[in-house]
Amino acid sequence: MSSGYRLILFGPPGAGKGTQAKRLAEILNIPHISTGDILRGAIAQGTPLGQKAKEYVAAGELVPDSLLLDLIRERLKESDAQKGWILDGFPRNIDQASFLDELLAELDQKVDSVVNLSVPDEVLIPRLLGRGRADDTEETIKRRLEVYREQTAATLDFYGDRDYFRSINGDRTPEEVTESIQQAIGA
Ligand code: AMP
């Protein structure tokens, strides 16, 4: 299974989605699509998207869906995404998840796996504080964890009863987690 895989990586901030997505994207030779990375790039470049998203990202709030849905649609239509992809940080609420279902039906693409990285809160906070990203201040971290619980965790119920859903223990070394994801998805 070196190509053609479509994987959604799910989990709270600091669970290791970005790290794992990078590793798996290389192993599976498919693009890593991170809405957080796209937004940070747009903010750094001062594009119209970046200007609109900036305050939300800095505050740890979700950026409005209206800024992201077209962006995801266009990204999944790009030629490199035809061989598969890893989504990291999207979907983050039920509306985004329903949108993605519809979009994938429209593009005739199917999700192969949704993998939830499960990591206890007491591990997440020190990990985030150690990362040093602009939105990794103590205040913003607190808010991002709240936003995860209030808006994003419900997305787990959306996928939880689908047969391609897996939850794995993300509180291990990056190597162990990668191996465990590969086993879980059979890739
Ligand atoms: P991340 O790199 O995934 O932790 O995302 C960083 C920040 O970007 C989040 O705290 C949100 O402000 C914003 N963001 C990323 N992905 C999304 C999304 N799917 N929906 C709304 N906001 C997002």
Side-chain angles (χ1 to χ4, degrees), residues 13-14 17 34-37 39-40 53 56-65 68 88-93 96 131 133 135 140 144:
K17 298 187 295 294
S34 154
T35 42
D37 283 351
L39 291 169
R40 279 184 290 278
Y56 296 97
V57 173
E61 300 294 338
L62 294 188
V63 164
D65 291 350
L68 284 174
D88 155 18
F90 190 96
R92 240 174 168 103
N93 61 33
Q96 292 182 7
R131 206 161 65 167
R133 221 166 69 185
D135 60 342
T140 312
R144 277 164 46 223

Side-chain angles (χ1 to χ4, degrees), residues 20 41 66 70 84-85 101-102 128 130-131 133 135-136 144-145 151 153 166-167:
Q20 294 303 323
S66 58
D70 281 347
W85 37 255
D101 263 3
E102 283 166 32
L128 290 162
R131 206 161 65 167
R133 221 166 69 185
D135 60 342
D136 283 339
R144 277 164 46 223
L145 289 170
Q151 304 176 49
R166 304 273 181 281
S167 195

Side-chain angles (χ1 to χ4, degrees), residues 16-147:
K17 298 187 295 294
T19 302
Q20 294 303 323
K22 272 188 207 84
R23 297 171 65 96
L24 290 160
E26 204 155 294
I27 293 168
L28 300 172
N29 189 31
I30 50 179
H32 166 204
I33 302 175
S34 154
T35 42
D37 283 351
I38 293 171
L39 291 169
R40 279 184 290 278
I43 292 167
Q45 289 175 16
T47 66
L49 169 67
Q51 286 169 24
K52 289 182 203 137
K54 197 172 165 180
E55 302 303 325
Y56 296 97
V57 173
E61 300 294 338
L62 294 188
V63 164
D65 291 350
S66 58
L67 295 182
L68 284 174
L69 301 188
D70 281 347
L71 188 150
I72 287 290
R73 177 192 302 277
E74 293 315 308
R75 185 64 189 87
L76 293 187
K77 280 185 182 172
E78 277 179 39
S79 60
D80 67 333
Q82 305 320 304
K83 61 177 182 177
W85 37 255
I86 300 177
L87 273 183
D88 155 18
F90 190 96
R92 240 174 168 103
N93 61 33
I94 299 278
D95 284 344
Q96 292 182 7
S98 320
F99 166 84
L100 185 61
D101 263 3
E102 283 166 32
L103 175 62
L104 294 178
E106 174 194 321
L107 299 178
D108 206 17
Q109 298 186 8
K110 276 202 170 55
V111 174
D112 292 298
S113 294
V114 176
V115 171
N116 176 50
L117 298 178
S118 167
V119 177
D121 273 11
E122 61 269 26
V123 176
L124 295 174
I125 296 166
R127 270 196 195 178
L128 290 162
L129 280 172
R131 206 161 65 167
R133 221 166 69 185
D135 60 342
D136 283 339
T137 63
E138 212 158 337
E139 187 72 4
T140 312
I141 288 170
K142 227 179 98 209
R143 184 59 194 146
R144 277 164 46 223
L145 289 170
E146 273 171 17
V147 166

